Structure formats: structure tokens, C-alpha cells
Amino acid sequence: MAEAAMSGLRAINVSKSFSGLQALLKVSLTVPVGTIWGLIGPNGSGKTTLLNVISGVLPCDKGEIWLGDTNITGLRSDRIARLGIARTFQTIRLFTHLTVAENVEAGVMAVETGGIDDRVTALLDRFDLTQWRSTQAGALPYGIQRRLEIARALGTRPKILLLDEPAAGLNETESEELLAMIHDVRDDAEYGCGMLIIDHDLRLIMRLCDQIHVLNEGRTIAEGAPQDVRQHPAVIEAYLGHQEQSLL
Amino acid sequence: MSNWSRRRLAVSGRTWLVLSLLLLLAGGGVWLWDDANLIRIATNFFLLCTLVVSLQVFVGNSGIVSFGHVAFFGVGAYTAALLTIPPNVKERALPMLPAILMNLETGLVTATLGGALVAFLVALLTGLALARMQEQAMAMATLALLVMMHAIFSNWETVTRGTIGLYGIPRGINLWVALSGIIIIIGLALLFKASPTGLHLQASREQPLAAQTIGINLVRVRLIGWLVSGALMGSAGALWAQNILAFGPDQFYFVETFTVLSMLVIGGLGSVSGAVVGAAVVTGVSEMLRDLEGGFTLGPLSIPELPGLVQLAVAVLIMIILIYRPEGLLGQREVGGKR
Ligand SMILES: Nc1ncnc2c1ncn2[C@@H]1O[C@H](COP(=O)(O)OP(=O)(O)OP(=O)(O)O)[C@@H](O)[C@H]1O
Ligand SMILES: [Mg+2]
């Protein structure tokens, strides 16, 4: 476990503000390879901002981010991606005019040095995308688009995968499929990695994750196993103001 | 080359074969028909295609409009002219030319590769700055490039003879040379499109942010696309110069930029085949209207001269296409290529 933590992701005292608005304040988080972490919190609590800072999409003001024993603070996002952090987006960002195969291929080509076609075929197969192979990504049903975005990210063979509301917009069945898929990925011999998942569907998060990190107004208010976090007073209080997301 | 996809290469190869065959049929047909005017039109069409296809390499894959590529075309044309004009003509036209250039007299292939090389160097110089810019800023900067190069062409009298322009270029081009040129350039454009850098440039066109988060270096892929496209444009200019034989700086400016971009838009930005189709449509429309431009009689009606008719028609055509087929006639599709 200690070894897994060393090869995983560590954010240390990360702060980020947008002209006065403190989006993140001294947030620390460790995601070991092979574990699934949930990141929850009310709207605007800084979840996406944390993902943006980790993936290099936004620079952080203070703090450090490490991947294994590499300090990746302040690196360009494409460097961070090649070092082993992949992500998806809250609003899907596929290469809409490219085919499903090309979307995956673009990720594979960015990191691999051979056997591209076999890798792409295997990935499409692994994620049940083969039948869509030549379809333009923008024309896919929503649920398939979400799955393709994850497959594209995994094409870069990440050590850490960051998922921003992967179940948003999916129906019950699609969510269940996604949940099963994410579990499979963690234990997969080839694509196994550590994952940090944001979602508003708390039932899904509780079932999916090994550990949960809770943000409120940019600060960590709780961290731990799902059953502990669920009963944490600060978490209940933060969520009481947001009735539509009651903790059950 | 290890991260190339054989599948992509095979698909591109098929497109190349089909396009080459179609152009070969067109060229062969015209040659058999043996009509001097038709041969002239076909030769000009092939040369025009080299331009549009070269422009497609950058604009189509990156999704960033370049108003500056005609400058590379000019650089290629001037380079080829300086390499091929016989020394005795140069002594009269360009008495101040440095001795090395004065005594040079190369053949078609060297002149064409020379045009590509010098255009590549200009692209490198400008691209290092441009590729770092945001999309819109980059498009504006390409416009600045066009104006800047036009100023150089018009004022560097020692080498370009200023606004008067150059003459005396030996004819290196015939129908078959032009056809070979376009077939080679289409091959290179398709090869680039199939390459990892080509795919990454297309990905950055669709979603720059997501492209970066799967490991794509935006500056790098944009710079490479710019260089390849600029060099090809230079070779297109060199070929063109060896067909037109005399030209001046005003042939590399706004009207030409508009014409080439319009062909690309009409055919479909995202497709090499589209570039060829766009060139074909505009050539067809222009040739049909050119006769009308000089005035004609329609029954009892006598229509006087209509200068500007061709440009007007092309402009209207663009608007119609943009309304009904915003992605151009072919969109992202390539002939003969199932993706
Ligand atoms: N690029 C940005 N520029 C300015 N402000 C931003 C930016 N990104 C986020 N913010 C602000 O930072 C705060 C945190 O936003 P963030 O998107 O991280 O929240 P979130 O937890 O992901 O919320 P949601 O659940 O709605 O997705 C919000 O107040 C938001 O308006
Ligand atoms: Mg968010």
C-alpha cells in the first residue's frame, strides 16, 4: 500500500483563487494507484477546479502536486498527460468530427511507440465501441460519448484517471453499466490505475469508491471511507443546505 | 515513424490512388482531345490544385484560417524565377543581383525544391512566433504576414525588381509536369493527414483543451503543420512561376488569397479531396463565365461587358455553400476512403 501511494497522485496544500474568490484553500489529497477515490461537495465547492489544477489546465497559486516521485506542479498539461494523468470533462469534450477510432487513436499515438492499430482495436473492443468505430464522435448517443471519453483517456495508459461527473446525463441503466465498467478498469491488468471521480449521484459514489474526499467552499471538510463520511456532521450540514442532494 | 497507424496509411493510400486516377483520366482525356485551349485550362487547373491542397494541409487540419499562405506561394515563385532565369536576362533585369544568384541557372526539379526550401525557411522564421499564439491571434498574424511579404516583394528591387516584377523564366511546365506535381503534392498532403502529427493537429482543431490533456503539444503540432504546408505552398509557387513565365508582386495578394481560400471553403476544409473539388468547381464556373464577362447577345438582348462577373459569381457561390453546406461540398470525407 505504501508503495502504491508513492506511485500515485499527491496534492499537497493546493490553493487557487479567481480574482478574490477562493476556489481551493489548502486542499491535500492522496490517490494511490489501484484505488478509487470519490470527490464530492455542493455546487461550486471547487471539485472541477481541483481536477483542472491537477491536470495542468489551470496553474495553482500555492501548493505542490506530485505523481509518484515527480513534482508536476506548473508543468504544461500535455506533459502531465504524457507522465500519466488522464482526465475527462464535466461537459463532454470529444473530437466531434473525428471518428470513434480516431478519438482513441489520438490518445494512443501521443504516448505509444508501436503497435498503434492493435492497441486501438483492443481498446475499442474492451469498451464495447467496436460497432461505432467509424461513426463521427459527435453523432453518438450521449451514454456512448461518455464511455468514449473514458476510453480515449485510458488510451494514454494513465497511472491516474480523473473523471468529472462521468454519470451526468446518464439514465439508471447507463449509470449502472458505467459503474461496473469503472470497477473493471481499476482491476484490469492492462488499464488498471488510480481514479478520482467527481459525481453528484451520492449513492453511486458511495458504492463505487474506496475512499471519499469532501469539499465545501474550497476547503476539505471530511475524508475517509464511505460509511464514515456519510455520518460526518460537517458533511451532513454542508449538504442540508442543498436539499436536492440529500445524503439519504 | 513507430507510432504511425498502418490502417490510416492504407486509407490515405486508397484516396491517393483514386484521386490520382481521376486526375490522370482528366489529363489524359484533355491530351487526347488535343485542343490547345483545353490543355491550357487543364494545366492551370492542376497548378491551382497544388496551391489549394498545400493550403489545406495547414488550414484544414488545424482549423485556423491562414490569410498568409499566398506569401509562401510568392516566395516559391520568386525563388524559382531567380534560379531559372538565364544569366544574360538577369544581367539586364537585375544588374545589382549578387554574383552567386546571377550565375545560377537550374532545372525544373531543383527550382521547385528550392522554392519549397526557401518557403520552408520563411515559414520557420514566422511559425516560431505564430504557433505560440491563440487561434484568433494567429489568424490575424497570418494577415500581417501577407502584407509584410507583399511589401518585401514590392520593394526589394535588387532581387524582385519591385513592382515591375520578373520576366524571362523558361517554361518548365507542360500538362504532364503539372499533373505529376499535383499527384505528388496530394500524396504528401494525405501522408501528413494520416501521420500522428496530422491526427493530433485535427484533434487540436476540434478541442484544443482536451487535445492537450491527452498529451498533445499544441505549439509543436501547429508549427509542424505550418512548416509542411508552407513548404508545399512554396513548391506550388515555383511550379506556377515556370508556367506563367513573368509575374509581379500583386499576384500574391488579397484577391489571390480570397480565391484560394474560397476554393477550400467550397470543397470542404477538412478534406484533401475537397480541395481538389473546390478548385475544379471554381475553375469550371470561371471558365464558363469568362466568355460572358466580355459581353454577349441573348436573342434580342445584347448584354454589354460585365467586368468582375467571375469574382462576383465565386463570392456568391461561397455564400450559398456556407448557408446550405457549411462544411463544404465534401465536408470531412475523402474520395475512396471509408474511415
Ligand atoms: N476558470 C474560472 N474562472 C473564474 N472562476 C472560476 C473558474 N472555474 C471555476 N470558478 C469558480 O470557482 C468556484 C468553484 O468552481 P468549480 O467549477 O470548481 O466547482 P464544482 O465543485 O466543480 O461545481 P459543480 O458541482 O457545479 O461542477 C465557483 O465559484 C466557480 O464559479
Ligand atoms: Mg464541476
Side-chain angles (χ1 to χ4, degrees):
Chain A
M1 190 70 195
E3 201 180 304
M6 277 310 291
S7 62
L9 169 76
R10 277 179 301 149
I12 305 161
N13 284 328
V14 169
S15 296
K16 172 81 191 169
S17 70
F18 297 107
S19 49
L21 178 99
Q22 197 70 45
L24 292 173
L25 186 67
K26 296 198 171 171
V27 174
S28 295
L29 177 88
T30 303
V31 181
V33 170
T35 60
I36 304 181
W37 281 66
L39 181 60
I40 63 172
N43 287 114
S45 55
K47 306 181 294 295
T48 298
T49 303
L50 183 59
L51 252 59
N52 284 341
V53 165
I54 293 172
S55 59
V57 168
L58 290 174
C60 65
D61 304 337
K62 285 198 189 111
E64 285 183 0
I65 299 154
W66 290 71
L67 180 65
D69 46 19
T70 313
N71 185 346
I72 60 167
T73 323
L75 293 186
R76 263 198 339 256
S77 53
D78 59 291
R79 292 262 342 256
I80 292 178
R82 290 198 298 276
L83 286 171
I85 295 182
R87 68 168 292 177
T88 65
F89 294 86
Q90 188 165 348
T91 47
I92 302 178
R93 288 176 186 266
L94 289 171
F95 309 133
T96 45
H97 289 103
L98 302 186
T99 65
V100 168
E102 286 173 323
N103 269 269
V104 173
E105 209 163 19
V108 172
M109 280 176 165
V111 294
E112 294 289 330
T113 49
I116 299 295
D117 293 320
D118 294 342
R119 278 269 289 139
V120 171
T121 304
L123 261 163
L124 294 177
D125 205 38
R126 174 76 179 67
F127 292 100
D128 278 334
L129 291 164
T130 307
Q131 65 172 121
W132 308 98
R133 164 161 211 136
S134 305
T135 311
Q136 276 200 357
L140 291 172
Y142 206 62
I144 312 289
Q145 290 196 20
R146 286 270 178 215
R147 208 187 316 151
L148 173 58
E149 213 187 10
I150 297 176
R152 178 181 72 184
L154 286 171
T156 66
R157 280 189 196 277
K159 298 186 184 85
I160 298 290
L161 176 60
L162 314 171
L163 301 174
D164 199 344
E165 305 202 19
L170 302 192
N171 64 33
E172 194 99 5
T173 340
E174 289 171 325
S175 293
E176 285 301 321
E177 282 170 14
L178 184 86
L179 193 132
M181 189 187 102
I182 290 171
H183 261 136
D184 285 357
V185 167
R186 178 191 56 186
D187 303 328
D188 196 290
E190 225 184 320
Y191 305 111
C193 55
M195 285 184 256
L196 180 61
I197 303 178
I198 299 177
D199 211 284
H200 278 302
D201 184 343
L202 295 174
R203 248 191 303 185
L204 182 136
I205 283 282
M206 295 285 166
R207 282 169 60 205
L208 186 59
C209 299
D210 306 311
Q211 294 282 312
I212 290 177
H213 191 103
V214 191
L215 289 179
N216 189 27
E217 293 175 0
R219 288 158 223 254
T220 302
I221 56 170
E223 188 184 79
Q227 59 274 19
D228 302 335
V229 164
R230 194 197 310 239
Q231 279 142 22
H232 198 291
V235 177
I236 294 172
E237 198 193 308
Y239 270 87
L240 277 181
H242 303 259
Q243 273 136 356
E244 73 273 46
Q245 298 158 350
S246 71
L247 259 183
L248 296 163
Chain B
M1 296 286 278
S2 61
N3 65 338
W4 286 55
S5 153
R6 277 168 203 229
R7 182 190 279 264
R8 289 181 73 74
L9 280 176
V11 173
S12 276
R14 215 160 50 221
T15 301
W16 183 63
L17 282 180
V18 175
L19 277 177
S20 302
L21 210 66
L22 287 174
L23 291 168
L24 201 64
L25 281 175
V30 165
W31 187 68
L32 287 176
W33 195 267
D34 199 21
D35 173 89
N37 192 39
L38 215 54
I39 290 182
R40 181 188 57 79
I41 293 174
T43 308
N44 287 341
F45 165 65
F46 292 148
L47 294 175
L48 202 60
C49 282
T50 62
L51 238 109
V52 188
V53 169
S54 305
L55 178 68
Q56 193 278 337
V57 169
F58 180 74
V59 176
N61 290 302
S62 76
I64 299 168
V65 182
S66 169
F67 302 103
H69 266 62
V70 165
F72 297 134
F73 179 69
V75 168
Y78 277 106
T79 306
L82 291 172
L83 287 175
T84 56
I85 297 174
N88 59 334
V89 180
K90 278 191 233 174
E91 266 159 33
R92 257 176 293 129
L94 299 162
M96 308 290 281
L97 202 64
I100 344 158
L101 282 176
M102 189 65 92
N103 300 320
L104 267 179
E105 192 181 357
T106 70
L108 170 90
V109 175
T110 314
T112 308
L113 292 178
L117 178 69
V118 179
F120 174 87
L121 294 175
V122 176
L124 185 64
L125 228 59
T126 51
L128 286 173
L130 259 73
R132 280 163 218 285
M133 298 177 185
Q134 293 285 317
E135 292 83 358
Q136 277 91 342
M138 189 170 179
M140 273 309 292
T142 62
L143 195 57
L145 170 70
L146 180 71
V147 174
M148 186 180 84
M149 290 311 290
H150 182 259
I152 294 178
F153 296 151
S154 311
N155 294 295
W156 196 9
E157 306 252 345
T158 341
V159 173
T160 66
R161 214 158 156 258
T163 47
I164 310 167
L166 294 176
Y167 66 92
I169 305 158
R171 179 179 296 282
I173 302 291
N174 60 35
L175 182 71
W176 299 110
V177 174
L179 182 60
S180 313
I182 182 56
I183 287 179
I184 293 171
I185 287 181
I186 287 176
L188 294 173
L190 286 168
L191 194 65
F192 178 77
K193 192 178 176 187
S195 72
T197 304
L199 180 63
H200 284 163
L201 195 54
Q202 293 163 50
S204 75
R205 168 191 77 199
E206 301 289 318
Q207 259 304 337
L209 188 64
Q212 285 174 291
T213 63
I214 59 166
I216 296 171
N217 181 340
L218 284 195
V219 174
R220 180 177 164 276
V221 295
R222 283 179 180 162
L223 179 62
I224 294 176
W226 177 257
L227 293 175
V228 172
S229 185
L232 288 179
M233 204 74 184
S235 69
L239 290 172
W240 173 84
Q242 296 170 83
N243 186 53
I244 195 115
L245 313 185
F247 61 83
D250 290 344
Q251 271 151 304
F252 314 105
Y253 218 23
F254 286 110
V255 174
E256 293 68 26
T257 300
F258 170 72
T259 309
V260 186
L261 275 173
S262 67
M263 293 182 211
L264 197 52
V265 171
I266 288 170
L269 289 177
S271 151
V272 176
S273 321
V276 176
V277 169
V281 169
V282 174
T283 303
V285 170
S286 312
E287 289 304 329
M288 279 192 292
L289 294 183
R290 181 148 301 144
D291 297 335
L292 302 188
E293 213 170 29
F296 60 98
T297 49
L298 192 73
L301 277 175
S302 160
I303 310 290
E305 267 185 57
L306 298 165
L309 182 67
V310 172
Q311 268 181 42
L312 196 71
V314 171
V316 170
L317 193 63
I318 287 202
M319 288 187 201
I320 294 174
I321 300 252
L322 285 178
I323 292 169
Y324 292 102
R325 293 194 74 117
E327 291 190 2
L329 292 173
L330 264 65
Q332 304 286 317
R333 275 163 304 189
E334 296 288 2
V335 299
K338 208 177 124 265
R339 298 202 281 173

